[in-house]
Amino acid sequence: SVFNKPDNRSVSHPVDVFEDESGLTFEVACTGLDKSDIDITIEGDILKLAYDKGETQKSDKSRRYYHSGVKKSSFNFGWKIARRFDLARAEAKMENGLLVLNIPYSSESKPKTLKIK
């Protein structure tokens, strides 16, 4: 398997994870969030993503909502990333309400040739 969640919890937050020629990519729905609201940490081979609605959402008492349909749910999840991906070179950016994380392949995962002596 390419990666494993560090525990058996299922992720209820909308996230896509895929692999292509550039490496491993995570697309995390972050509608209405600012990039400063999201914590991304790397501990060894674990990639962690977190957003705490309670800490970051400012209550505006002057607003009277008639409908509140934009979901800004808290999330806190992580994945164990296989060694063939280089977490030290991971990059993150926000695009159209998506947090996009790219983790390239490590140089060790590239095929090697061995010369016969």
Side-chain angles (χ1 to χ4, degrees), residues 83-97:
R83 289 174 43 185
R84 64 191 191 110
F85 299 102
D86 189 351
L87 273 170
R89 293 183 21 232
E91 294 183 350
K93 60 185 172 182
M94 291 286 277
E95 290 181 348
N96 303 318

Side-chain angles (χ1 to χ4, degrees), residues 26 35 38-40 42 47 49 89-95 98-103:
F26 291 78
K35 62 184 178 182
I38 302 160
D39 292 321
I40 303 170
I42 296 170
L47 171 70
L49 300 153
R89 293 183 21 232
E91 294 183 350
K93 60 185 172 182
M94 291 286 277
E95 290 181 348
L98 283 179
L99 170 62
V100 179
L101 289 139
N102 297 106
I103 307 169

Side-chain angles (χ1 to χ4, degrees), residues 27-78:
E27 293 180 337
V28 184
C30 294
T31 305
L33 303 183
D34 188 77
K35 62 184 178 182
S36 64
D37 295 336
I38 302 160
D39 292 321
I40 303 170
T41 56
I42 296 170
E43 296 176 13
D45 60 354
I46 305 290
L47 171 70
K48 295 182 179 179
L49 300 153
Y51 161 70
D52 186 346
K53 178 180 177 180
E55 284 184 15
T56 55
Q57 189 175 30
K58 298 161 185 69
S59 62
D60 186 348
K61 298 201 184 304
S62 67
R63 292 183 181 178
R64 184 171 52 206
Y65 282 90
Y66 296 104
H67 178 76
S68 181
V70 177
K71 190 173 184 181
K72 296 179 186 175
S73 302
S74 295
F75 56 83
N76 186 346
F77 46 82

Side-chain angles (χ1 to χ4, degrees), residues 4-15:
N4 295 308
K5 288 182 278 183
D7 55 38
N8 292 325
R9 291 181 303 148
S10 63
V11 176
S12 60
H13 190 79
V15 58

